[in-house]
Structure formats: structure tokens, C-alpha cells
Amino acid sequence: MSYWFLCGKGKVFGFSCGLRRGFNYQQTFSLVNVKLKWVKDKALDAVIAGERDLRAACNLVSILSSAPDFCLPIYHLSRHRGQLGLPHDHKLSTFIRRYPTIFHESYVFDSAGTLVPCFELTLEALNLYHEELGVIRDNMIDLIDRLCKLLMLTKDRILPLQTIDQLKWDLGLPYFYIDNLIPNYADLFSLFRLPDDRIGLKLLSWDDTLAVSQLEKNVARQTEEDLKNNCLAFPIGFTRGFGLKRKCMGWLEEWQKLPYTSPYADASHLDPCTDVSEKRIVGVFHELFHLTIQKKTERKNGSL
């Protein structure tokens, strides 16, 4: 994972210096030319592709479940298209008709007297939705902790709702979490207007018991010396068929031995132009992945 964030377009950032720990790290940058063979993971690609349709269908189920009689005309559903993640050239009604076991189609007249499609949840879909609500209730503490930790990863414990909306599927948040979940935890969260006039969600209190990263929890994977020097290493695995040249592997091994800064710790003292700071950034992404249900998210969601 760390390699994915630190390497790109056939070049790797290498660092040369004496490994002096503490605040006196002095690093210089050099480029090492490396020819990489990019290998696709077809199994993972298939999972990602299939999940897009699943996410869109689940979001539609949530939208319909909040409607009177669990039924809405197509023009009402189209207002939520931006949250569905469907391709722009993909007709919404065509997508919905793919799943007749979830959505039942009928027709109603609009205000102009035109007959338009109307979709409602089938009994099977409604039963599954109620089962989902039960799962959410049973895991509410874990869900709230994930949201708290997400906000704790940010500098001011604030994120725009737009950013959280992009991550809510991965975090397991309900579709209408702002209306149905946040008001129940007024002691933890508050809506906040950002300088650019967007609305953000702010965490009101810091919880030290949550400020422990997944890497710090996995102490069993670390050597006694690494734990003593706080040089925690990230678990790394490569797709089958993907390999690194020996000099890259050597650099990566040295980089893994650098001090680890928790993503929940104040990093204002770190020089952003050093590899110690770079390792801290990788640690933020590593923790973000572990906050998601399936330990993954789309690349566009990585810029918090």
C-alpha cells in the first residue's frame, strides 16, 4: 500500500541520508528511474465494478424507504442521481428496470398530465431494508466510533459533508445519516459552516481511547526493537505478477524502519519535505482504509 502512494509513472522517490532519529532528520531527495510492470488484479476489478451497481441500488432503496408508500416517480429519484455514482450517460430508469425483484414499476400522471414511470420497493426489498436497519442499530457504537475517528484524522476535526458523503458507503453510514443519525449525538457532532460557505461536520470532543491507529494495535507483527524505537512497519503485499527491482525493495525496507507518527498525533513539528513526514501521510491513508467496512475506498476519496 505504501508503495502505491509513494511511486508513480515509473519513478520512485528515494531518500539518502544518515538515519538520525529525533527532530534533526536531514533528508535529500533523489529520483531513481525504475521500469514497472503494472499488473491488473482482475478479481478485485470485478468486485469494484459490481459494487458500483450494488451501491446505487442500495441508495435507491434508502431513498424509496423514506417516501410515502415507498414509491416515487422517476423525476423525484433523478434528483438524487449525483449520490448514486452511475455513469452520466446511463439512464436511471434503465438501471432500475434491471432489478425487478427490488423495484416494482408502475405509472402516474405528472403535473402536466404526462404519464411517467413510478417505482416502489417490492416486499422482499422492504424486508431486507428493515433487516439492514436492525444491523445498523446493533452496531451503532462501532459506527459512531468510525465517524469520530474519521474526523479525528483531520487537523480541526472538521470535514465538509460532501467529503463524508463520498465515504459514507465505505464507512457503513446510513444514506440519510445527517437527518437520522447526527441529531441523536448532539454531544459529539455539530454542523458547522466552513469559510467557503459549505456545511461541515465537526467533532466536539476528543477521545483518547479512540486515538490508537490500527498499526499500533497490531503490535504482534512488529519486532521488539521496532517497538522500542517506534519504527512500526506497514504490512505490504503485491498483486500476483507485480514485482520490484532489488534497489527499490532495499529503499522500501529502509523507509519502513523510519519512526512512525500516529495519524492521530500532532504532526506540526514534522518537516513536510522529509520521508518521516511522508511515512506519516501513508499512515493516515492506512488508518483511513481500516475505518472502512471493506478496508478500501475509491482513489478519488483519498484527498480529505
Side-chain angles (χ1 to χ4, degrees):
M1 184 204 68
S2 59
Y3 180 80
W4 184 84
F5 285 109
L6 297 177
C7 305
K9 295 185 178 180
K11 293 185 177 180
V12 180
F13 283 103
F15 305 93
S16 58
C17 69
L19 295 180
R20 298 190 296 274
R21 291 179 170 77
F23 297 113
N24 296 321
Y25 268 94
Q26 299 293 328
Q27 282 93 7
T28 60
F29 291 91
S30 62
L31 282 175
V32 179
N33 292 323
V34 181
K35 292 183 179 180
L36 299 176
K37 178 184 177 182
W38 295 103
V39 180
K40 287 188 175 182
D41 191 324
K42 294 182 179 179
L44 181 58
D45 288 346
V47 170
I48 298 299
E51 189 178 276
R52 292 194 184 102
D53 285 0
L54 175 62
R55 177 170 52 189
C58 288
N59 287 341
L60 285 168
V61 168
S62 297
I63 294 167
L64 287 171
S65 68
S66 64
D69 300 323
F70 312 110
C71 182
L72 284 173
I74 188 64
Y75 54 83
H76 276 290
L77 292 174
S78 296
R79 297 173 184 173
H80 299 270
R81 184 183 179 89
Q83 290 285 329
L84 300 180
L86 296 175
H88 296 296
D89 59 348
H90 205 107
K91 196 173 181 180
L92 182 56
S93 58
T94 301
F95 172 79
I96 296 176
R97 291 184 181 116
R98 287 183 185 175
Y99 306 99
T101 57
I102 302 176
F103 309 106
H104 173 71
E105 183 177 4
S106 58
Y107 290 87
V108 295
F109 289 101
D110 63 10
S111 57
T114 304
L115 204 59
V116 297
C118 185
F119 296 95
E120 63 180 312
L121 294 179
T122 63
L123 180 60
E124 293 87 347
L126 196 56
N127 289 337
L128 281 175
Y129 176 72
H130 288 150
E131 184 178 336
E132 177 190 347
L133 292 181
V135 172
I136 291 175
R137 285 193 297 269
D138 293 342
N139 295 275
M140 186 58 67
I141 295 178
D142 177 70
L143 194 59
I144 294 301
D145 285 350
R146 288 173 188 270
L147 185 55
C148 287
K149 294 181 69 135
L150 176 69
L151 294 171
M152 288 168 65
L153 289 177
T154 66
K155 182 179 178 181
D156 299 314
R157 304 199 299 271
I158 300 174
L159 275 178
L161 292 184
Q162 180 183 2
T163 300
I164 301 176
D165 285 345
Q166 291 176 342
L167 291 166
K168 65 183 177 183
W169 167 265
D170 298 316
L171 294 172
L173 291 171
Y175 187 83
F176 294 109
Y177 71 98
I178 289 297
D179 299 321
N180 300 338
L181 188 149
I182 297 302
N184 298 329
Y185 295 89
D187 58 325
L188 285 176
F189 307 109
S190 176
L191 295 177
F192 188 87
R193 185 168 295 278
L194 303 173
D196 59 7
D197 283 336
R198 289 186 298 170
I199 302 299
L201 186 67
K202 181 175 183 178
L203 181 66
L204 299 178
S205 59
W206 182 274
D207 188 344
D208 285 332
T209 62
L210 296 178
V212 181
S213 69
Q214 188 65 34
L215 193 62
E216 290 171 311
K217 292 178 182 178
N218 294 339
V219 292
R221 298 181 181 179
Q222 311 293 339
T223 66
E224 184 176 345
E225 182 179 358
D226 287 341
L227 290 174
K228 181 180 179 180
N229 297 321
N230 196 34
C231 299
L232 306 186
F234 296 101
I236 296 178
F238 298 105
T239 299
R240 183 178 180 181
F242 183 89
L244 292 179
K245 290 183 178 291
R246 184 176 299 176
K247 58 182 177 181
C248 269
M249 288 302 298
W251 166 80
L252 185 58
E253 289 173 2
E254 289 301 315
W255 181 87
Q256 288 271 44
K257 296 176 182 178
L258 293 174
Y260 170 79
T261 304
S262 170
Y264 299 107
D266 180 12
S268 59
H269 64 283
L270 295 179
D271 184 344
C273 295
T274 62
D275 43 359
V276 177
S277 179
E278 196 75 29
K279 186 171 182 179
R280 192 259 175 186
I281 294 173
V282 174
V284 172
F285 280 100
H286 183 268
E287 185 68 6
L288 173 62
F289 289 148
H290 276 278
L291 293 182
T292 64
I293 301 298
Q294 299 188 54
K295 308 299 180 285
K296 64 179 181 61
T297 188
E298 293 188 33
R299 183 166 55 183
K300 65 180 181 180
N301 297 336
S303 56
L304 293 179

